[in-house]
């Protein structure tokens, strides 16, 4: 199981080591949740919607704790889950390569182990940041070696409370609909898990052919020789601008509201195990204060992504230049700004995502009852923040809570393990650095709930258990008569 710096051991050897590690750790744990059937149909213990990084980590953590009656559903084909090979357009990940990400504390499951097994230690030392496509290859391997039960091409169309403390999921695959009953549902649905891409209202004034959001499928080849604009100054703005330039855009204009591009990544500066495990314990006012400050400072785009744009002479950075209006004129799109109008052929809004349950029809039966931070917390004057106010107010296992107690108890069975959970739990459910810790918190909470709900069955099992460890011939009571002995001379 050894190799020199320039002699990779190969994936087969790494997988053999991982199998041994898992066996030594009793991974997966023995299944222990009683099976249920309702109306002749089997009931899943856990369903995870989304088989990207967060969903896979959640499934791995649950499997480690003995949850085997689960499934992950993802709309995408296998190998295209999450953003990495779809709308993510950076060359490399922002996160440093040494972070352990979804490895769940298992050295042989880390990206580094996977990379070195194939390419050797020297290649690892020479690697700067992780190419995003390579990261997707790693996640595909992760799913395989943990044998996680993913079903691709499945859309969850509705989530409904069901009798007996269950949830009913209406799903569709290959044009066929069915209903699945489940005890616990995990929404591992990423950045837009409770809403969708955000674009300002001014976009509605012009034909849809003139613009797209950065998270949408964009035909960059069709932008060759065209005038392209991008709204925003974050990582997504730079990545989309660079992709348009590399596809041959004639001119690229970046419209940036701020007078300067943010330069300091505040949360990275205080990253620690203290933040990971301590944030959820902060008083509400301090949670709000931390995130409001970080959001106001904003996260800068990566240096490499910015240089990727500025290396093109036909790229133009317009600082202090918000887009205030759009209109169609002579077959083009005219962008109005305080510094004048700009004629474009296409505009990309790199304007992030917003929580908007009206855009999640699958949650329609639950949405009116979900409690958000705005429903119970009033920030101090000067710290009003609509994005934070629209964050779901989650319980200790990422579960939704009711706006009005008793109106929809089923909410407690739905766990919001996606980006909008940040205000309640910290950055544990959408980014690489602490996703294992988030998955562990989620899994332990679900296991606790399942055991408590089945307490009568577990107690009955306790009473019924009758396999002896002692047979009664291992000792003799002090006041017992001595055993009879036979006379060998008779």
């Amino acid at each position: 199981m050894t190799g020199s710096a320039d002699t990779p051991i190969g994936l087969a050897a790494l997988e053999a080591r991982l199998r041994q590690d898992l066996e030594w750790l009793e991974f997966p744990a023995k299944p222990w949740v009683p099976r249920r059937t309702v109306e002749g149909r089997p009931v899943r213990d856990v369903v995870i919607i989304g088989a990207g990084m967060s969903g896979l980590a959640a499934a791995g953590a649950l499997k480690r704790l003995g949850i085997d009656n689960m499934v992950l559903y993802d709309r995408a084909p296998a190998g295209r889950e999450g953003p990495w090979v779809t709308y993510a357009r950076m060359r490399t990940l922002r996160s440093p390569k040494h972070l352990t990400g979804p490895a769940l504390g298992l050295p042989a499951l880390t990206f580094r182990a996977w990379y070195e097994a194939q390419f050797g230690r020297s290649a690892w030392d020479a690697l700067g940041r992780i190419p995003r496509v390579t990261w997707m290859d790693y996640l595909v391997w992760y799913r395989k070696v943990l044998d996680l039960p993913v079903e691709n091409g499945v859309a969850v169309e509705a989530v409904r409370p069901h009798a007996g403390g269950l949830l009913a999921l209406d799903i569709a695959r290959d044009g066929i609909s069915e209903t699945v009953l489940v005890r616990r549902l995990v929404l591992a649905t990423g950045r837009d898990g409770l809403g969708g891409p955000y674009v300002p209202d001014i976009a509605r004034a012009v034909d849809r052919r003139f613009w797209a959001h950065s998270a949408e499928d964009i035909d960059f080849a069709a932008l060759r020789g065209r005038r392209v604009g991008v709204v925003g100054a974050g990582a997504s703005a730079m990545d989309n601008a660079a992709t348009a330039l590399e596809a041959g855009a004639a001119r690229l204009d970046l419209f940036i509201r701020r007078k300067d591009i943010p330069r300091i990544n505040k949360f990275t500066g205080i990253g620690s195990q203290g933040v990971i495990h301590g944030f959820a314990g902060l008083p509400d006012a301090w949670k709000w204060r931390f995130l409001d400050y970080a959001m106001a400072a904003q996260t800068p785009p990566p240096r490499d992504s910015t240089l990727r744009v500025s290396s093109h002479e036909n790229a133009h950075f317009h600082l202090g230049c918000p887009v205030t209006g759009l209109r169609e004129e002579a077959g083009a799109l005219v962008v109005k700004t305080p510094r004048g109008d700009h004629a474009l052929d296409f505009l990309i809004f790199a304007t992030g995502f917003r929580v908007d349950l009206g855009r999640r029809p699958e949650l329609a039966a639950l949405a009116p009852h979900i409690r958000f931070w705005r429903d119970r917390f009033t920030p101090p004057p000067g710290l009003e923040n609509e994005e934070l106010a629209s964050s779901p107010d989650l319980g200790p296992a990422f579960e939704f809570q009711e706006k009005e107690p008793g109106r929809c108890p089923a909410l407690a069975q739905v766990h919001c393990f996606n980006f909008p959970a940040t205000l309640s739990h910290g950055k544990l459910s959408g980014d690489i650095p602490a996703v294992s810790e988030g998955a562990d918190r989620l899994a332990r909470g679900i296991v606790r709930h399942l055991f408590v709900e089945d307490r009568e069955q577990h107690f009955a099992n306790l009473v019924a258990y009758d396999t002896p460890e002692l047979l009664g011939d291992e000792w003799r009571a002090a006041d017992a008569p001595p055993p009879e002995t036979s006379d060998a001379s008779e």
Side-chain angles (χ1 to χ4, degrees), residues 293-328:
Y293 178 81
M295 290 172 63
Q298 292 196 323
T299 302
R303 175 176 170 81
D304 289 347
S305 296
T306 308
L307 290 172
R308 185 181 166 198
V309 177
S310 62
S311 65
H312 295 265
E313 293 184 357
N314 56 334
H316 305 272
F317 291 71
H318 303 281
L319 298 170
C321 193
V323 175
T324 59
L326 298 174
R327 69 179 187 274
E328 298 177 37

Side-chain angles (χ1 to χ4, degrees), residues 161 167 184 366 369 400 402 404-414:
L167 297 167
R184 293 278 157 174
L366 307 178
H369 307 289
F400 286 127
E402 297 171 279
E404 297 181 37
R407 295 295 298 273
C408 187
L411 279 179
Q413 298 160 247
V414 183

